[in-house]
Amino acid sequence: EVQLVQSGAEVKKPGESLKISCKGSGYSFTTYWIGWVRQMPGKGLEWMGIIYPGDSDTRYSPSFQGQVTISAGKSISTAYLQWSSLKASDTAIYYCARRLGYCSGGRCSYFFDYWGQGTLVTVSS
Amino acid sequence: SYELTQPPSVSVSPGQTASITCSGDKLGEKYVCWYQQKPGQSPVLVIYEDSKRPSGIPERFSGSNSGNTATLTISGTQAVDEADYYCQAWDSSTNYVFGTGTKVTVL
């Protein structure tokens, strides 16, 4: 059974650093892209970035480039999302999700088939 | 950047058909998928590649995509289908784009 299990809720102060995790099991972790998605309170889904654990190839949404760092430890089947200096506006639920799909003739079908349970990050002074 | 627009809300009576639209420039030239998200839960994929259903998703969920609009249709809507629904596509410049989301209320 495919599972993505995320680390627990965090409460941090502005300016602090944070690294949350997403551990995959039940499939070959290194051969599927893992994406990160933000959901601010009462708001929609926003794609942040994605990593291929096999070689750590990483892509970021322009909105999040330079704001977060995505990494992976393939030997322990875990992806990470980290901040060096949190802001109150980083308060949100963060989901990891496994990406499936392919490209053919310039048309790409990319979607997220399994999702983690989400990690609530609260940043408050 | 590429954007996907959905109506904020759709209301439907039990047993009736709910249609949720997702609009974007030349969206029919891209593949669209749909997620269902219930309160306090993670999103669940209900449609991929415009109209394919993952294993375990009821047949009452269907999808289509043409022109500038993709549509998720829920036939014979049940109370359990009350949730937020998001479309998503991939664009070469923006990468992964989510729609603005639609709250489906079963009255």
Side-chain angles (χ1 to χ4, degrees), chain A residues 14-62:
Chain A
E16 292 185 333
S17 63
L18 176 64
K19 191 174 189 178
I20 63 175
S21 65
C22 168
K23 183 173 177 60
S25 63
Y27 73 101
S28 177
F29 185 76
T30 56
T31 59
Y32 291 83
W33 290 78
I34 291 286
W36 287 95
V37 175
R38 182 176 79 174
Q39 188 167 39
M40 299 178 75
K43 302 298 184 183
L45 305 174
E46 301 174 87
W47 175 69
M48 302 176 70
I50 197 165
I51 187 166
Y52 187 75
D55 61 6
S56 291
D57 185 8
T58 307
R59 318 283 168 81
Y60 292 94
S61 162

Side-chain angles (χ1 to χ4, degrees), chain B residues 57-69:
Chain B
I57 299 303
E59 290 184 11
R60 63 180 180 273
F61 288 90
S62 63
S64 63
N65 182 21
S66 179
N68 295 320
T69 303

Side-chain angles (χ1 to χ4, degrees), chain A residues 39-43 45 93 95 116-118, chain B residues 35-44 78-86 102-106:
Chain A
Q39 188 167 39
M40 299 178 75
K43 302 298 184 183
L45 305 174
I93 297 174
Y95 295 100
Q117 82 275 22
Chain B
Y35 303 94
Q36 176 195 69
Q37 186 181 33
K38 297 181 179 180
Q41 297 184 21
S42 302
V44 172
Q78 300 179 8
V80 70
D81 300 327
E82 191 163 280
D84 294 327
Y85 291 84
Y86 296 91
T102 299
K103 180 177 182 61
V104 171
T105 301
V106 182

Side-chain angles (χ1 to χ4, degrees), chain A residues 39 99 102 109-110 112 116, chain B residues 35 37 42 49-50 88 96:
Chain A
Q39 188 167 39
R99 192 207 80 177
Y102 66 92
S109 173
Y110 289 145
F112 299 101
Chain B
Y35 303 94
Q37 186 181 33
S42 302
E49 280 183 37
D50 295 340
Q88 180 242 305
Y96 305 84

Side-chain angles (χ1 to χ4, degrees), chain A residues 38-119:
Chain A
R38 182 176 79 174
Q39 188 167 39
M40 299 178 75
K43 302 298 184 183
L45 305 174
E46 301 174 87
W47 175 69
M48 302 176 70
I50 197 165
I51 187 166
Y52 187 75
D55 61 6
S56 291
D57 185 8
T58 307
R59 318 283 168 81
Y60 292 94
S61 162
S63 299
F64 292 94
Q65 179 84 48
Q67 308 304 307
V68 297
T69 301
I70 293 170
S71 60
K74 61 182 180 181
S75 65
I76 55 172
S77 301
T78 302
Y80 303 96
L81 177 65
Q82 68 180 86
W83 296 259
S84 59
S85 181
L86 286 159
K87 302 184 282 287
S89 58
D90 293 317
T91 295
I93 297 174
Y94 294 88
Y95 295 100
C96 64
R98 187 181 80 164
R99 192 207 80 177
L100 276 188
Y102 66 92
C103 279
S104 176
R107 197 178 179 205
C108 297
S109 173
Y110 289 145
F111 51 93
F112 299 101
D113 65 338
Y114 285 93
W115 293 65
Q117 82 275 22
T119 296

